[in-house]
Amino acid sequence: KTTVDGKIFVLEKNEALLQLPELLSGSEYLGSEHDPKGRDYIIASHLFRTQIADDTSWIIVNETIWDDCWVHSVSDNIPDINEEQDL
């Protein structure tokens, strides 16, 4: 595990992205919300919690009006979500 000040080093994240289907299938789905940026082509932003290099990380997947889902980000910083959600 390579960390700097408690943050996952880029190498582990990059390696995890190479295994994205497996990473998502092993993640916990936390729900969705409307696009916080108000983009009209995004139906919803879906949030998943996962582990990368033994650290909790979040995957944000945007669902579009074209029936596509795009990985928006993989982060070790918790995204801004509803406070009542139990994380």
Side-chain angles (χ1 to χ4, degrees):
K1 174 176 164 180
T2 307
T3 59
V4 177
D5 295 329
K7 304 292 181 190
I8 300 172
F9 196 68
V10 174
L11 180 61
E12 282 84 357
K13 285 185 191 176
N14 286 343
E15 289 175 358
L17 289 175
L18 294 173
Q19 304 296 325
L20 190 57
E22 293 85 0
L23 186 64
L24 272 171
S25 69
S27 298
E28 177 185 4
Y29 181 67
L30 299 176
S32 66
E33 62 179 29
H34 294 289
D35 179 42
K37 295 182 180 178
R39 295 169 287 191
D40 60 354
Y41 59 92
I42 302 293
I43 296 171
S45 293
H46 300 273
L47 182 63
F48 299 82
R49 181 172 38 203
T50 192
Q51 294 293 120
I52 300 175
D54 297 326
D55 287 325
T56 301
S57 294
W58 288 266
I59 303 169
I60 299 172
V61 176
N62 287 334
E63 181 181 354
T64 72
I65 61 173
W66 304 290
D67 294 324
D68 288 328
C69 289
W70 303 338
V71 174
H72 174 71
S73 68
V74 177
S75 177
D76 56 346
N77 294 317
I78 189 165
D80 183 22
I81 60 171
N82 297 332
E83 288 185 23
E84 67 267 7
Q85 191 156 10
D86 182 23
L87 297 175

